[in-house]
Amino acid sequence: MFSIYGNKIRTAYLMAVAAVLWAVTLTVSAAPGDKDFVVSYTHMGSEFETASGMEDKAFLYARQAAADQVVNAFQNYTEWKKYSFSQSQLRPAAMSIGQVRVLERQAVNQAGSPGAYIKIRVTVNPAQIASIGAEPHILQQNVALSAENESLLRQTAVQATAAALERQLRANTLLEEANRLYVAKDYNQALNLYNQVLALESRRVEALVNKGSIYYLKEAYDQAVRELNQAIKINPQYMYAYYYRGLVRYQQGSDDQALADFNKAVALAPDFALAYYYRGNCYYMKGQYDTAINEYSRALELDPQDAYAYLNRANVYRERNQLEQAVPDYTRALEIQPDLAAGRSQRANAYYLTGRYKEAAADYTELIKLDGKDAVAYVGRAQALQAMGRNQQAMSDYNVALALDHGIAGGLTGRGGCYLMAGRYDEAIADLTKALQQDSADHRAYELRGVAYLKKDMLDLALVDLDKAVALHPQNASAYFNLAIALEAKEVAESKKKAETGKTAPDPKDPKTSAFVKDAILRAEIADQNKRMALIIGSYKNFLKYAPPGHPGIERAKERLKVLEKAVLDI
């Protein structure tokens, strides 16, 4: 079964925005590509607001002002245009990225009215846009929180509601920062802030779900399930809680439970592409390939830019040996994400298996460019070069692969094959023997070593290895072909030996030998010869049964069968 890729975590991520009066300057920071947005804001409160509450409001207003500047600065960037943010998504998207630093904060008093002054710097790099742009469902929730905060900030604090208003704004501010840390992959700090949010609002489902997803990423699956179960208990209609719990159960190998959660996610959000994607993974693991393909296809209808859905659908086609259908999906995945190493590796292997060795070698070359220490890619390219008859270049790649990883699968077997083709039989036998010490089920190593022994006229050893190769892989056409040649060589050698040493059994032509003995000797010789001939004939027939069209040994096998079958009739 081939690898199915599923680590495409998405987390609920909420942002808060508001705007009133602000001052902003834009400067370019020292880091390449970074831009700094410096914003100051003064919020004048009421006698019922606390100092921390006024500061939170000032901070939210300043962040909104910075977000507007980010939108203006980045709206023409390719990364920004790629995600086609709607007008309502622009500010939440901008506030989801960048690092915020408070440069200055102080309490103010104007004409007897209390207030808070704050000055912040937001540092953003265009490359960070993908961290939020790739999370469309997060943006949906960001928009909702933005609207909520705008409503809260417009409310006038009065004595009866001031404390509750401040608590809610404080929770939103903490949640905003926690989610920014989540996107920045600072999970420990994010967890700390989510806990602070829940201390203020214990039923805050978004914080529970985000905590669950972080525990998932940390592989703390039991903790993740506890957080997600609590979220579902509070709000049974919260789709993302089922989605993330499905991810946890999928990683735990509980495919049926995971599938139930993804089914619930689809029921709550029929257009949620990732739920279909993971349902496809579950069906694949259950061996229901047709259903898996349908799920991946539905995911791609909803999100045509999902490289992993193409990759996994291709892997299912490959599992079913439908390589001609797999290759276009691998290609589309690579068009969307050119650095997707798994897609290039799988396509290279599919090219190799379909005899497109030049394309396979080209893909492995690209993998080597991505990672010059990828021993697997060197072995793959070596095998493709070997198939094209470029033995010396293949040998060079095998040497590099084995230098990087002396135990790399296929390395010693492949280089042993190169030695065999170069007529360096002792070196071939040495490499292949080491390969079999690493993997005693390597049928190809047995076959190649058997051929090396055959070339050295070590026929008994050759027959042992070739018999083993056939036993390990009963559909290996070339092993049958080489076995037939070895058996014929053994027959010729035995006949020659017999002619040179003379017969040790009684001579049926000797008048002293009785008619009964003569008949028994003759029958035994015929039976023995027929048995040996049957083995040779059977090996050639099996070769023809499994040989792919165009195999260079087919004509020879057919000719030898005619000769051998006629010989049997003449005995």
Side-chain angles (χ1 to χ4, degrees), residues 316-439:
V316 178
Y317 283 132
R318 183 180 164 184
E319 185 73 43
R320 296 170 60 172
N321 203 33
Q322 295 175 292
L323 297 176
E324 295 300 333
Q325 289 173 275
V327 167
D329 271 1
Y330 287 133
T331 299
R332 183 64 186 128
L334 289 168
E335 288 171 352
I336 296 168
Q337 192 172 329
D339 62 347
L340 186 60
R344 196 166 297 279
S345 176
Q346 299 283 33
R347 187 177 71 173
N349 188 255
Y351 279 145
Y352 178 83
L353 292 173
T354 52
R356 297 167 66 176
Y357 304 124
K358 185 177 180 180
E359 291 99 324
D363 266 350
Y364 284 123
T365 297
E366 290 302 313
L367 286 168
I368 291 167
K369 289 179 183 177
L370 288 172
D371 180 3
K373 295 184 178 181
D374 186 348
V376 173
Y378 276 106
V379 168
R381 187 170 71 176
Q383 290 172 336
L385 292 168
Q386 210 169 4
M388 290 189 285
R390 294 158 65 176
N391 202 56
Q392 195 59 43
Q393 290 172 283
M395 177 84 77
S396 177
D397 272 358
Y398 282 127
N399 286 335
V400 173
L402 289 165
L404 291 169
D405 179 0
H406 68 275
I408 183 68
L412 287 166
T413 300
R415 190 172 69 178
C418 286
Y419 282 136
L420 179 62
M421 292 299 293
R424 297 161 64 176
Y425 304 131
D426 289 333
E427 291 164 286
I429 290 169
D431 262 4
L432 295 164
T433 299
K434 289 178 184 176
L436 288 167
Q437 289 170 352
Q438 291 179 358
D439 180 6

Side-chain angles (χ1 to χ4, degrees), residues 297-316:
S297 298
R298 177 59 178 152
L300 288 166
E301 289 175 9
L302 295 167
D303 183 6
Q305 297 301 306
D306 190 341
Y308 283 93
Y310 280 109
L311 173 63
N312 284 1
R313 189 172 69 177
N315 286 340
V316 178

Side-chain angles (χ1 to χ4, degrees), residues 55-75:
E55 188 175 296
D56 282 343
K57 284 188 176 182
F59 179 81
L60 286 171
Y61 282 131
R63 285 288 287 121
Q64 184 244 351
D68 287 341
Q69 291 299 310
V70 171
V71 171
N72 291 333
F74 289 162
Q75 60 185 337

Side-chain angles (χ1 to χ4, degrees), residues 530-568:
N530 279 341
K531 183 178 179 180
R532 296 194 302 272
M533 296 290 272
L535 287 173
I536 299 171
I537 290 170
S539 294
Y540 277 127
K541 285 184 174 180
N542 280 327
F543 163 71
L544 292 173
K545 178 180 178 180
Y546 298 116
H551 191 289
I554 289 176
E555 291 305 316
R556 175 178 174 176
K558 288 180 177 178
E559 291 175 4
R560 292 304 301 154
L561 272 177
K562 288 180 183 178
V563 172
L564 292 167
E565 287 173 342
K566 183 177 184 304
V568 170

Side-chain angles (χ1 to χ4, degrees), residues 131-149:
S131 65
I132 184 63
E135 316 287 0
H137 62 288
I138 294 174
L139 278 180
Q140 293 172 11
Q141 297 184 36
N142 291 355
V143 171
L145 186 56
S146 295
E148 178 186 330
N149 278 340

Side-chain angles (χ1 to χ4, degrees), residues 68-95:
D68 287 341
Q69 291 299 310
V70 171
V71 171
N72 291 333
F74 289 162
Q75 60 185 337
N76 292 321
Y77 277 71
T78 301
E79 296 94 334
W80 191 260
K81 290 181 176 180
K82 176 181 177 181
Y83 296 104
S84 302
F85 297 124
S86 68
Q87 192 65 35
S88 63
Q89 293 173 330
L90 290 175
R91 284 179 180 171
M95 293 182 69

